[in-house]
Each structure stands twice: as structure tokens, then as C-alpha cells.
């Protein structure tokens, strides 16, 4: 099991410098840069996504359930 510790996000620019271990992909998922998604390998061929949404004034973080491609 991995633990993720989130620090306060002050700007979208902070996300461009992010690097993770066991990441399948990371980046903005749309041209308007409203959704930044990180897909992790969580074992046994399963993945899980962490998404930061910039739709509102304060960024919101969403964590998906485990899934298989």
C-alpha cells in the first residue's frame, strides 16, 4: 500500500515539474488545462488515477477506484 501526501497547490505550473514512481502517465488531459491526471500502477495489472480539477476557484482532487485496461 502506498501513501500519498498532498501539499497545498498554489498554481498549475507546480504540476509540470512532478515526477512519480510507478506512474503510467501524468499530464493535463485537455487543451484548457483544467484536469491534471496521474495514472499509477497499483499491482496485479491494476491502475488507479489521481486527478486535480481546476474548474473551481480552489483545485479539487479526485481518486478513482482500481481498474484494468
Amino acid at each position: 500500500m502506498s501513501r500519498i501526501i498532498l501539499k497545498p497547490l498554489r498554481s498549475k505550473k507546480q504540476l509540470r515539474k512532478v515526477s512519480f514512481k510507478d506512474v503510467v502517465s501524468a499530464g493535463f488531459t485537455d487543451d484548457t488545462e483544467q484536469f491534471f491526471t496521474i495514472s499509477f500502477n497499483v499491482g496485479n495489472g491494476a491502475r488507479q488515477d489521481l486527478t486535480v480539477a481546476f474548474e473551481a476557484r480552489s483545485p479539487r482532487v479526485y481518486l478513482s477506484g482500481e481498474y484494468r485496461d
Side-chain angles (χ1 to χ4, degrees):
M1 177 179 213
S2 296
R3 182 176 180 178
I4 299 171
I5 298 172
L6 301 174
K7 293 183 179 181
L9 185 66
R10 296 203 180 359
S11 75
K12 295 178 189 180
K13 291 179 185 177
Q14 288 176 288
L15 294 172
R16 290 191 178 96
K17 301 175 187 174
V18 173
S19 65
F20 298 95
K21 186 176 181 180
D22 296 329
V23 169
V24 176
S25 64
F28 286 100
T29 57
D30 62 335
D31 292 337
T32 61
E33 294 189 350
Q34 287 195 5
F35 299 97
F36 187 89
T37 300
I38 306 161
S39 298
F40 296 92
N41 279 326
V42 291
N44 297 326
R47 293 183 182 178
Q48 193 165 15
D49 297 339
L50 178 115
T51 298
V52 181
F54 293 97
E55 297 175 297
R57 215 173 154 184
S58 297
R60 294 191 177 144
V61 177
Y62 300 94
L63 186 62
S64 75
E66 290 183 14
Y67 64 92
R68 297 183 192 281
D69 278 346

